[in-house]
Amino acid sequence: MAERGALSLLSLLCLTFLYTETTAAKHVDKAPAAQPFSPFWFTVEPQETLAIRGNSALLNCSTHSDAATRVEWKKDGTFMSLVSDERRRILPDGSLFFTHVVHSKHNKPDEGTYQCVATIDNLGSISSRTARLSVAGIPRFVSQPVPSTVRLGDNQVMACEVNSDLVPFTRWEKDRQPLELNSRLVLLPSGALVVSNATEADAGLYRCLVENVGSSKSSDEAQLQILPETGEERKPEFLVQPVSVTKTVGASVLLPCMASGYPAPHVRWMFDDKLLEESEGRVEVLGGGSLQISNLTEGDAGVYTCMADNSNATIEVQAQLTIQVPPQFVKRPANIYAHESMDIIFECEVSGSPAPTVKWVKNGDAVIPSDYFKIIKEHNLQVLGLVKSDEGFYQCLAENDAGNIQSSAQLIILDHDVALPSFPPPSLTPNTTDHVTPGSGGVASPAGPTPSAPRDVVASLVSTRFIKLTWRPPAEPHGDELTYSVFYSQDGTSRERVVNTSRPGEMQVTIQNLMPDTKYRFRVVAHNSNGQGESSAALKVATQAEVQVPGPAPNLLAVSNTPTSVSLSWDTPVTGNGEILTYKVYYTDQSIGTEQDVDNDGLSYTMTGLKKNTEYSFRVVANNKHGPGVSTEDIVVRTLSDVPSGPPQNFTLEVQNSKSIMLRWQPPLQNAQNGEITGYKIRYRKGSRRSEAAELTGGTQLYKLIDGLERGTEYTFRVSAMTVNGTGPATEWTTAETFESDLDESRVPDQPSSLHVRPLVNSIVVSWTPPENQDIVVRGYTIGYGIGSPHAQTIKVDYKQRYYTIENLDPSSHYVITLKAYNNVGEGIPVYESAITRPQSVPDPTPMMPPVGVQASVLSHDTIKVTWADNSLPKNQKITDNRFYTVRWKTNIPANTKVKMANTTSLNHMVTGLKPNTLYEFSVMVTKGRRTSTWSMTAQGTTFETIPSSSPKDVTVVSKENKPRTIIVNWQPPSEANGKITGYIIYYSTDVNAEVHDWVIEPVVGNRLTHQIQELTLDTTYYFKIQARNSKGMGPMSEAVQFRTPKTSNLPSKPGPAGNTLTNDPGSTVGKSGVGSGENSILVIVIIVSVGAFTIIVVVVGAFLCTRRTTSHQKKKRAASKSSNGSHKYKGNSKDLKPPDLWIHHERLELKPMDKSPEPNPVMTETPIPRASQDITPADSGLDSNPHLQQRRNSYRGHESEDSMSTLAGRRGMRPKMMMPFDAQPPQPVISAHPIHSLDNHHHHYHMGSLASPTRSYLYHQGSGHLRPHACATPISHLDRVDSTESVRNTPSSEPLPPATASSQVSCPSEILADPEGSYHGSTTTEEEPSYTSNLPPHRSAHPHAHAHPLKSFAVPAIPASSHQTYESSALPSTPLLAQTASIGTLGRTRTPMAVTVPNAPDVPETSKMLEDVDSFH
């Protein structure tokens, strides 16, 4: 009974607890949630449309929303009434359809700007972008074709100008047949037809037609006649000229330009003073000279100059191309949640050219800026003191001449008991925290009582623009930590704003940014942990009126009376408090921007001493006893123009031939033009005559060809600029002489006949004689000079000049001087001379400051860009004097201390021709005249790597002592490695002429310079090649090296696998030992038994010592690891830590047990090749019983046994699967330390590095050199590992190496590799020795010999350890090393297999890259 009572009581308690939890959950669920934003936007918006009168038209518009949407249309800003309209209707998707467009001269009801407005009832409206519907007008010909003639090969234009909107509908007919346009026949933007390079076939009757616009109309027909070319020279003249045009980004433009003349003028285009080059598909010259640019970008905007020239003259004309960019949103407005009384900001950022104008729309109606709706930061909309009616959709509309766009956002105002969602966050004003209502994150129903109303709210400080409020705590606070909110509004309005106290318990706040002399209502609300309390009674306070300073002076007028004065007048301010004492007139030169002022007592003032034809802005401020008043708005006026006060600039003469001279000049200085230049007046006279002739040019033409002159006559010229006010001062008289005869200018002048130099201290006088051939035009001479090079400075002199003095030279300096004659074709052959300036015994000038901030930016394997700054230049770093910089660079290779230098006149220099993967040091100095600086601080840069450009060198092949079937290949690294060598590929074959893919491949890691190859055929000639690889790819192969294996074996017979017993040569040492005799046989048996007993003793003692050494060895390793601060500098015996041997065959990963060889060989690897398919037996039978090994079914392979097939032909015949053995890794992994040239000499050294290497990803296991033996049923093939002491290329271990174990052990199949005691998964793995689990890729179940090539080997990459910290030199790029290879022996030794785990493969294994390159090479 007691038990039943207890159970009943427990059940009752459980039910009570569950009911309480359920009730609480329901209570929480009742908390109101925020209303979600409504998805509402336009999927299609109306586009610009050209309609045809009488045809149908369609303006597309459709929206996306979850609610029912009503679509209306506006035309020219007014809603359209389409209820009884039979001609226009709205389609179900919202598009506006016109059944037929009405358009006439006096009735255009359909043409205009349209906008689609979509509305969701009780939610809001959004408006689309605006689009213009244009109606194609009635075809009208402004000009029509007229009968014309054109000479054969010349150009002609057939006029046909129509309405601009009808040009796309214009086509041409010749002899009433449609005319096909091509690159020779081009339709201009006006509708005219260009015929270039006229032929006889172009003759005929031409007319243009306008079609497909509701009515078709054709022009008059005009005959084009083709006349034969007479050969009479004609000056070039423009038939059609380009005009300034405005286009949109992405559009195409055709700038027409065509000239006529004989010889046929050559038309070229200049873009901003640079010759424009054609680019296929984008920039093309059509129709003999018209320029077409497709897919316009902003960079195409600028001034384009069309130049036409032949042997007679050159003419040019310019046109401005303006590119407009439609508006684009950089930042769109975002949806916002807010509470009433908060302040919010809708952000909107747009770009475009010209700069777009932005306006805001709420629910389809324009937002008018006011005290509560403000435009801030150009485009953002700020709404102050939110009320419920502010809810809806707000749109940002951006528009410029290229188009318009819109984007919308929704504002939802939540009740105060609904928390603001954390995402998206509300976009608030900068003082957001002061404008968020406290308690806005509360729950629906308070957990307790809220505070009563705060008491004694008073305005403790009242000013013109702010009011400070104070109060006392509520009578019933119901809590300690009270915060307060102050709500205020302008008296008479319902829109309240809120300001919060900055910290709990604070009972005062200052309300800023109020209006003067305005009444406001204030109320205070307290908040505790339960929510918002009661509001205090409203307090009405009026701000103070501001001190009455004068208002703006009305009716400000400014008139320019003369080019240097402006008269101003104004009236007395309407508002003022007392007598106006003075007026201050402010004026600003718009070209400078600096404002100045002057005092005045009256109501007018004349400003004198102003600049001519310059814009000035004026404003007036009145002053009374209280101070300055409100300024007037700025008024801008330009002073009157005047005659130019300065002559044209850069006036030059160029003799064209015996009858004409070309004049060129630049406009007067800007401050001397005094108005718009309307033209230029040229005066010239013959010789010393007083009579003058005059020529006039247009305002933009800056050249003039004066022809009809006399041969061999001297003329003097001067030019002056003109404005509407008159002609300004002229240039100085400049003289030129026409040629005696028209000399040849089809080729460059000959070499000047002589050049003489006379050096002085700071100058060299150069004199010369003209070329001997006087029949070629010489227009001048080019003098080049410099220290050691004549290309530092260049000077051009007139063709009449015969001497020149080169100034500002350095004393005691060797200058090289060159002189070349030139004409319009180019420069002739130079003549050289050198001179040493005289010494000067003056103190050295003060040195200049060296360049600073030298930086070397590596661009490629042989190029580095050097940049610097010059503190002796202005801030804009613009070089205006004759200073130059010398860049010096060298490598850090001790054997190569040669310094190279180059001079430049800019603040950067591109150094090319450098060596790959080499560290260079750069420094710069500046030279100005005789002053130089010291060398700057150096900057370093290491060029990028590139593939080796030379093959490995000194390749030698030798036979291994006592092993005639094993050879050792030695080599040296390539002399031009161009980077860190990451691996080598050894190719060998018995046929030197065999294809590359038929050679056997042996990969070797990059730090090895020797390699063993076993099991070769006796008395056979082999050929060997080696190829090096770095991170960039494979280098060239070395020349084939020949080696022939010995005829007989010199080793005693050893028991081995069946079929592989070596037969002794009768002449060998073994054959002479007399092994067959009885006495010797007994002796051999005794020796074998003794050796066996001794071996057993050694094994037992060795096992005992290994177990004792494990603990001490762990401590040593842990101490060594700690002392290196985690840098993984493992110390100890090279046999203590061994990585797994990895075997790879195509797509399968093979793991093989490792063997230890008693022969120390520091840097060799041995790689026998299985010779038959029976050498490799799958070993999958034992995996099913071990789930850990089951996942490696396709990764581990079993037995290998030797057979009698020993020839290369036998290997090929069986096509066995190839296995690639890998050497065990030493405890301190060897990295390829091939230095870049700047860090070491050009000899390649390999040593053990303390840097963390990718090869450290091998798994190190304590005592891995002392694995316990296993009893195995089936022996497998033996791995002949070379246990090495460190070679000369490896840093020796700090601990002594124990002797190699020579005991024979029983070899095990791969199924037994999961032994927990000998496995790498064991618990003996320390923190310095991370353990990894196998993560092998899945493989296909295929025959082990399926796709194997008999002669190819593949390497396994070293896996980088993700948990090891990597230390790398900044000059050494990190390149994963190839895994070292293990070797297989065939001498009958067996050993205990080593259990291994395989780390995750890296994304791009280094060795895989190497092998991919090899495959691609084949």
Side-chain angles (χ1 to χ4, degrees):
M1 258 329 257
E3 292 180 358
R4 289 183 181 179
L7 289 174
S8 300
L9 182 59
L10 182 60
S11 301
L12 182 61
L13 289 174
C14 290
L15 289 173
T16 303
F17 175 75
L18 290 174
Y19 177 77
T20 304
E21 290 294 316
T22 305
T23 305
K26 290 181 179 179
H27 179 73
V28 171
D29 292 341
K30 290 180 181 178
Q35 172 189 347
F37 292 113
S38 301
F40 190 25
W41 61 81
F42 287 102
T43 55
V44 179
E45 297 186 73
Q47 304 292 328
E48 310 292 328
T49 303
L50 177 64
I52 298 174
R53 183 179 58 176
N55 290 6
S56 62
L58 179 67
L59 293 174
N60 292 313
C61 178
S62 60
T63 61
H64 169 81
S65 68
D66 293 340
T69 306
R70 183 175 75 256
V71 175
E72 300 173 282
W73 282 84
K74 284 183 178 181
K75 178 179 180 291
D76 298 330
T78 305
F79 281 104
M80 301 174 63
S81 177
L82 304 175
V83 177
S84 58
D85 197 325
E86 298 180 354
R87 195 171 53 81
R88 301 175 295 188
R89 69 176 187 273
I90 299 177
L91 301 181
D93 67 343
S95 301
L96 180 62
F97 179 70
F98 300 77
T99 56
H100 62 278
V101 175
V102 174
H103 189 80
S104 64
K105 184 175 182 179
H106 301 290
N107 183 28
K108 304 176 181 178
D110 294 337
E111 196 170 57
T113 301
Y114 288 82
Q115 188 177 32
C116 173
V117 180
T119 304
I120 298 178
D121 292 334
N122 302 322
L123 201 59
S125 304
I126 56 175
S127 302
S128 72
R129 67 182 298 274
T130 60
R132 180 162 185 79
L133 175 68
S134 304
V135 181
I138 300 173
R140 296 192 310 275
F141 292 100
V142 180
S143 63
Q144 300 196 42
V146 295
S148 305
T149 61
V150 60
R151 297 196 180 274
L152 199 64
D154 207 351
N155 306 322
Q156 186 57 278
V157 177
M158 304 294 288
C160 177
E161 190 173 349
V162 298
N163 320 32
S164 59
D165 56 342
L166 298 182
V167 173
F169 303 104
T170 302
R171 68 179 181 86
W172 279 83
E173 287 185 351
K174 177 193 169 191
D175 298 330
R176 298 298 178 98
Q177 296 297 320
L179 184 66
E180 293 186 4
L181 301 178
N182 52 41
S183 61
R184 206 171 54 80
L185 304 175
V186 177
L187 183 67
L188 298 183
S190 63
L193 177 68
V194 167
V195 179
S196 61
N197 192 16
T199 63
E200 295 286 355
D202 293 329
L205 288 171
Y206 287 81
R207 69 170 183 172
C208 65
L209 297 88
V210 181
E211 296 181 336
N212 299 328
V213 291
S215 62
S216 176
K217 190 173 183 178
S218 61
S219 70
D220 297 337
E221 281 189 322
Q223 179 77 36
L224 177 64
Q225 292 184 344
I226 308 299
L227 302 179
E229 182 55 65
T230 62
E232 180 183 354
E233 292 188 356
R234 301 191 304 278
K235 296 180 183 177
E237 59 178 351
F238 285 116
L239 299 177
V240 60
Q241 300 183 12
V243 295
S244 296
V245 65
T246 299
K247 289 289 184 177
T248 306
V249 166
S252 298
V253 67
L254 180 68
L255 297 176
C257 183
M258 175 162 287
S260 174
Y262 187 82
H266 175 59
V267 176
R268 293 172 297 162
W269 283 88
M270 302 282 289
F271 174 56
D272 288 344
D273 299 328
K274 295 181 181 179
L275 188 64
L276 188 65
E277 296 182 358
E278 294 188 58
S279 61
E280 185 176 352
R282 207 179 91 81
V283 180
E284 297 179 291
V285 177
L286 307 175
S290 297
L291 178 66
Q292 178 171 294
I293 307 176
S294 306
N295 193 20
L296 290 169
T297 65
E298 288 188 80
D300 294 325
V303 176
Y304 289 81
T305 303
C306 176
M307 297 190 304
D309 54 23
N310 62 9
S311 58
N312 294 321
T314 300
I315 56 177
E316 61 182 42
V317 64
Q318 293 182 336
Q320 176 83 33
L321 175 60
T322 304
I323 304 297
Q324 295 182 340
V325 182
Q328 294 180 333
F329 282 110
V330 178
K331 189 171 187 179
R332 296 175 178 267
N335 296 331
I336 295 178
Y337 284 114
H339 290 139
E340 283 190 281
S341 303
M342 286 173 58
D343 298 346
I344 63 165
I345 292 178
F346 283 108
E347 295 182 332
C348 181
E349 188 176 345
V350 294
S351 64
S353 178
T357 59
V358 172
K359 66 177 182 178
W360 285 86
V361 172
K362 177 199 170 189
N363 291 333
D365 297 325
V367 174
I368 300 173
S370 64
D371 292 341
Y372 299 99
F373 288 85
K374 297 182 178 181
I375 303 298
I376 62 172
K377 294 183 180 178
E378 296 184 1
H379 301 149
N380 296 342
L381 176 65
Q382 182 183 35
V383 185
L384 305 177
L386 290 174
V387 295
K388 191 68 175 177
S389 61
D390 291 332
E391 277 192 331
F393 290 96
Y394 290 78
Q395 287 180 274
C396 175
L397 281 72
E399 180 178 12
N400 65 6
D401 295 340
N404 65 92
I405 54 174
Q406 61 82 27
S407 183
S408 61
Q410 187 179 4
L411 170 63
I412 295 180
I413 297 180
L414 304 175
D415 294 335
H416 278 285
D417 57 354
V418 179
L420 289 176
S422 59
F423 184 83
S427 180
L428 303 176
T429 57
N431 47 353
T432 296
T433 53
D434 296 336
H435 288 224
V436 178
T437 305
S440 60
V443 293
S445 55
T450 57
S452 59
R455 296 173 293 171
D456 302 336
V457 178
V458 296
S460 59
L461 182 59
V462 178
S463 180
T464 57
R465 299 281 180 174
F466 68 88
I467 292 177
K468 182 178 181 180
L469 296 179
T470 58
W471 58 88
R472 292 174 56 215
E476 299 175 357
H478 298 297
D480 296 331
E481 299 290 328
L482 294 186
T483 57
Y484 299 89
S485 297
V486 177
F487 294 85
Y488 67 98
S489 63
Q490 196 170 330
D491 196 22
T493 64
S494 60
R495 185 181 291 273
E496 273 190 326
R497 300 182 64 189
V498 62
V499 174
N500 301 322
T501 55
S502 58
R503 58 182 180 273
E506 187 176 19
M507 287 178 289
Q508 64 178 21
V509 74
T510 300
I511 312 296
Q512 306 273 6
N513 300 322
L514 302 179
M515 298 294 293
D517 196 20
T518 305
K519 185 177 289 187
Y520 289 89
R521 297 171 65 253
F522 299 91
R523 61 186 184 90
V524 183
V525 176
H527 303 262
N528 63 9
S529 58
N530 299 323
Q532 178 176 306
E534 298 177 9
S535 173
S536 67
L539 171 68
K540 293 184 179 182
V541 182
T543 54
Q544 295 180 357
E546 284 188 329
V547 176
Q548 192 66 36
V549 295
N555 302 325
L556 174 62
L557 296 176
V559 178
S560 178
N561 301 318
T562 70
T564 59
S565 66
V566 172
S567 296
L568 299 116
S569 63
W570 58 90
D571 294 337
T572 305
V574 177
T575 59
N577 186 11
E579 179 186 2
I580 301 296
L581 301 179
T582 62
Y583 294 93
K584 190 178 288 289
V585 180
Y586 295 89
Y587 64 100
T588 304
D589 182 349
Q590 297 288 81
S591 63
I592 300 177
T594 303
E595 189 175 57
Q596 297 174 282
D597 62 81
V598 62
D599 290 328
N600 182 55
D601 295 333
L603 296 177
S604 64
Y605 185 77
T606 299
M607 191 76 66
T608 59
L610 303 179
K611 297 179 183 178
K612 300 176 182 179
N613 191 48
T614 303
E615 278 193 347
Y616 286 87
S617 64
F618 299 90
R619 63 186 182 93
V620 176
V621 175
N623 292 269
N624 64 7
K625 61 182 180 181
H626 298 292
V630 180
S631 173
T632 62
E633 294 292 331
D634 284 0
I635 185 170
V636 179
V637 64
R638 179 181 288 272
T639 54
L640 297 179
S641 63
D642 198 0
V643 296
S645 56
Q649 301 291 302
N650 302 331
F651 180 46
T652 60
L653 304 178
E654 183 180 327
V655 180
Q656 297 287 316
N657 48 48
S658 61
K659 295 182 179 180
S660 61
I661 297 177
M662 174 65 76
L663 285 66
R664 298 183 186 275
W665 62 89
Q666 292 297 319
L669 297 176
Q670 187 67 34
N671 57 6
Q673 293 182 14
N674 301 335
E676 181 181 357
I677 301 297
T678 58
Y680 294 90
K681 180 178 290 187
I682 300 166
R683 294 183 180 275
Y684 64 97
R685 62 193 181 195
K686 177 182 175 183
S688 58
R689 292 184 181 180
R690 292 185 175 272
S691 59
E692 298 179 358
E695 295 277 351
L696 298 177
T697 68
T700 59
Q701 186 171 336
L702 300 176
Y703 60 90
K704 181 68 176 179
L705 181 68
I706 308 296
D707 55 4
L709 305 178
E710 297 180 9
R711 297 173 181 268
T713 305
E714 187 178 83
Y715 288 87
T716 54
F717 300 84
R718 67 179 182 179
V719 61
S720 54
M722 299 184 296
T723 65
V724 293
N725 305 89
T727 304
T731 60
E732 296 293 331
W733 287 102
T734 306
T735 303
E737 183 179 344
T738 56
F739 298 142
E740 284 288 348
S741 60
D742 289 335
L743 302 179
D744 179 16
E745 200 173 2
S746 62
R747 53 199 176 107
V748 298
D750 289 347
Q751 187 181 49
S753 55
S754 68
L755 173 63
H756 304 281
V757 295
R758 184 164 61 91
L760 301 175
V761 176
N762 297 111
S763 62
I764 297 177
V765 180
V766 183
S767 60
W768 64 89
T769 55
E772 293 179 358
N773 187 353
Q774 299 289 320
D775 296 329
I776 304 176
V777 176
V778 175
R779 299 196 177 275
Y781 296 92
T782 301
I783 302 172
Y785 65 94
I787 298 177
S789 170
H791 307 299
Q793 299 288 337
T794 302
I795 297 171
K796 287 192 174 184
V797 298
D798 188 70
Y799 72 96
K800 294 181 180 180
Q801 201 156 334
R802 294 293 179 267
Y803 69 91
Y804 183 81
T805 302
I806 305 174
E807 305 283 356
N808 300 321
L809 302 182
D810 295 336
S812 303
S813 299
H814 183 270
Y815 283 89
V816 179
I817 300 163
T818 180
L819 178 72
K820 294 177 284 187
Y822 70 88
N823 56 22
N824 288 336
V825 177
E827 294 180 337
I829 302 172
V831 57
Y832 292 90
E833 191 60 80
S834 62
I836 300 176
T837 52
R838 298 179 182 177
Q840 185 179 25
S841 56
V842 294
D844 292 335
T846 57
M848 299 185 68
M849 294 176 59
V852 298
V854 182
Q855 293 184 347
S857 304
V858 182
L859 303 183
S860 68
H861 68 274
D862 65 350
T863 304
I864 293 179
K865 183 178 182 181
V866 184
T867 58
W868 59 89
D870 190 344
N871 282 345
S872 62
L873 290 176
K875 288 185 178 179
N876 60 5
Q877 292 287 289
K878 187 174 182 181
I879 302 172
T880 57
D881 50 25
N882 61 348
R883 73 180 62 200
F884 66 92
Y885 301 90
T886 303
V887 182
R888 178 180 71 178
W889 67 92
K890 67 183 182 69
T891 67
N892 279 349
I893 302 175
N896 184 11
T897 57
K898 184 177 180 181
V899 175
K900 294 186 179 181
M901 289 186 285
N903 292 338
T904 179
T905 56
S906 61
L907 294 175
N908 61 77
H909 182 68
M910 199 83 69
V911 182
T912 59
L914 303 178
K915 293 183 179 180
N917 193 47
T918 302
L919 176 65
Y920 284 88
E921 285 187 353
F922 301 87
S923 56
V924 186
M925 76 173 183
V926 59
T927 303
K928 179 181 178 184
R930 298 174 51 243
R931 300 175 60 201
T932 60
S933 72
T934 57
W935 290 104
S936 69
M937 297 183 67
T938 60
Q940 293 185 339
T942 301
T943 51
F944 296 150
E945 292 188 3
T946 187
I947 61 173
S949 52
S950 65
S951 61
K953 59 185 180 179
D954 300 340
V955 180
T956 60
V957 182
V958 297
S959 178
K960 188 172 182 179
E961 186 179 357
N962 299 328
K963 290 186 178 181
R965 297 178 63 187
T966 300
I967 60 95
I968 300 174
V969 184
N970 303 291
W971 65 90
Q972 290 299 316
S975 57
E976 297 176 1
N978 298 339
K980 182 173 63 177
I981 297 298
T982 57
Y984 296 94
I985 301 291
I986 300 176
Y987 298 80
Y988 65 95
S989 173
T990 58
D991 182 4
V992 72
N993 298 318
E995 296 292 334
V996 175
H997 59 78
D998 288 331
W999 290 54
V1000 182
I1001 300 173
E1002 294 287 350
V1004 183
V1005 300
N1007 62 330
R1008 299 280 186 165
L1009 295 176
T1010 184
H1011 184 70
Q1012 289 191 25
I1013 300 178
Q1014 300 183 13
E1015 297 304 309
L1016 298 181
T1017 306
L1018 296 176
D1019 195 18
T1020 303
T1021 300
Y1022 287 87
Y1023 299 90
F1024 298 85
K1025 299 181 182 179
I1026 304 183
Q1027 190 178 24
R1029 172 200 168 86
N1030 60 17
S1031 63
K1032 294 299 182 180
M1034 308 295 298
M1037 288 187 186
S1038 66
E1039 293 295 328
V1041 175
Q1042 178 180 346
F1043 181 82
R1044 188 172 185 87
T1045 53
K1047 291 183 179 181
T1048 58
S1049 171
N1050 295 324
L1051 293 177
S1053 298
K1054 293 186 179 181
N1060 199 35
T1061 303
L1062 299 177
T1063 304
N1064 293 328
D1065 191 291
S1068 66
T1069 305
V1070 177
K1072 296 177 182 180
S1073 62
V1075 176
S1077 64
E1079 295 179 0
N1080 291 341
S1081 299
I1082 296 173
L1083 180 61
V1084 167
I1085 293 172
V1086 171
I1087 292 173
I1088 291 174
V1089 171
S1090 302
V1091 170
F1094 179 74
T1095 301
I1096 294 172
I1097 295 172
V1098 169
V1099 168
V1100 173
V1101 172
F1104 176 74
L1105 293 176
C1106 288
T1107 56
R1108 294 193 59 184
R1109 183 174 175 178
T1110 301
T1111 304
S1112 63
H1113 187 61
Q1114 284 181 345
K1115 293 179 180 179
K1116 288 182 180 179
K1117 286 182 62 181
R1118 195 172 291 117
S1121 177
K1122 291 179 181 178
S1123 66
S1124 62
N1125 294 325
S1127 63
H1128 302 281
K1129 298 183 180 179
Y1130 294 95
K1131 297 182 179 180
N1133 194 326
S1134 61
K1135 300 168 187 168
D1136 292 337
L1137 299 175
K1138 297 178 184 174
D1141 290 344
L1142 301 182
W1143 290 62
I1144 273 205
H1145 175 66
H1146 285 269
E1147 297 142 348
R1148 292 190 179 85
L1149 181 64
E1150 304 274 21
L1151 298 188
K1152 289 290 184 178
M1154 297 190 301
D1155 190 15
K1156 295 196 296 182
S1157 169
E1159 302 174 5
N1161 193 339
V1163 294
M1164 294 185 182
T1165 60
E1166 300 179 1
T1167 309
I1169 303 175
R1171 292 168 302 285
S1173 59
Q1174 60 262 38
D1175 289 354
I1176 305 165
T1177 305
D1180 297 338
S1181 59
L1183 296 176
D1184 295 336
S1185 60
N1186 192 328
H1188 181 69
L1189 293 178
Q1190 183 64 33
Q1191 59 183 355
R1192 298 177 174 79
R1193 179 180 299 274
N1194 293 326
S1195 300
Y1196 293 89
R1197 288 296 179 265
H1199 321 303
E1200 285 191 19
S1201 61
E1202 298 192 9
D1203 56 17
S1204 59
M1205 294 186 64
S1206 59
T1207 64
L1208 191 61
R1211 302 182 192 187
R1212 285 185 184 165
M1214 299 307 294
R1215 294 279 178 183
K1217 182 172 77 172
M1218 299 300 297
M1219 294 294 187
M1220 178 52 53
F1222 282 66
D1223 234 353
Q1225 188 74 4
Q1228 272 190 300
V1230 178
I1231 69 168
S1232 177
H1234 177 195
I1236 59 174
H1237 296 303
S1238 61
L1239 300 179
D1240 204 347
N1241 60 28
H1242 54 273
H1243 298 293
H1244 300 267
H1245 297 276
Y1246 296 81
H1247 58 85
M1248 289 189 63
S1250 60
L1251 300 174
S1253 167
T1255 57
R1256 290 190 184 279
S1257 59
Y1258 282 126
L1259 305 176
Y1260 301 121
H1261 188 272
Q1262 275 187 281
S1264 59
H1266 308 280
L1267 298 176
R1268 69 179 183 85
H1270 293 270
C1272 306
T1274 305
I1276 63 173
S1277 62
H1278 323 295
L1279 295 178
D1280 185 10
R1281 179 185 180 279
V1282 180
D1283 279 327
S1284 65
T1285 58
E1286 298 300 323
S1287 71
V1288 292
R1289 299 177 182 83
N1290 297 343
T1291 304
S1293 174
S1294 62
E1295 295 184 10
L1297 298 175
T1301 304
S1303 62
S1304 299
Q1305 298 177 354
V1306 181
S1307 178
C1308 301
S1310 58
E1311 291 88 335
I1312 315 178
L1313 293 178
D1315 177 65
E1317 296 179 14
S1319 170
Y1320 281 97
H1321 302 284
S1323 60
T1324 59
T1325 301
T1326 66
E1327 62 183 21
E1328 294 85 358
E1329 302 167 337
S1331 177
Y1332 298 83
T1333 59
S1334 174
N1335 188 9
L1336 301 177
H1339 303 289
R1340 295 170 298 178
S1341 297
H1343 193 273
H1345 323 299
H1347 305 287
H1349 192 285
L1351 298 178
K1352 287 191 179 179
S1353 299
F1354 296 83
V1356 175
I1359 313 300
S1362 58
S1363 63
H1364 288 191
Q1365 184 176 358
T1366 301
Y1367 295 83
E1368 295 180 350
S1369 169
S1370 61
L1372 284 167
S1374 176
T1375 306
L1377 297 176
L1378 294 174
Q1380 300 190 24
T1381 57
S1383 58
I1384 299 179
T1386 57
L1387 303 181
R1389 294 189 304 274
T1390 60
R1391 65 177 177 86
T1392 304
M1394 180 181 295
V1396 298
T1397 57
V1398 181
N1400 293 337
D1403 293 337
V1404 186
E1406 180 67 26
T1407 311
S1408 299
K1409 289 184 180 178
M1410 182 173 77
L1411 295 174
E1412 288 171 7
D1413 292 344
V1414 173
D1415 289 340
S1416 64
F1417 176 80
H1418 299 324

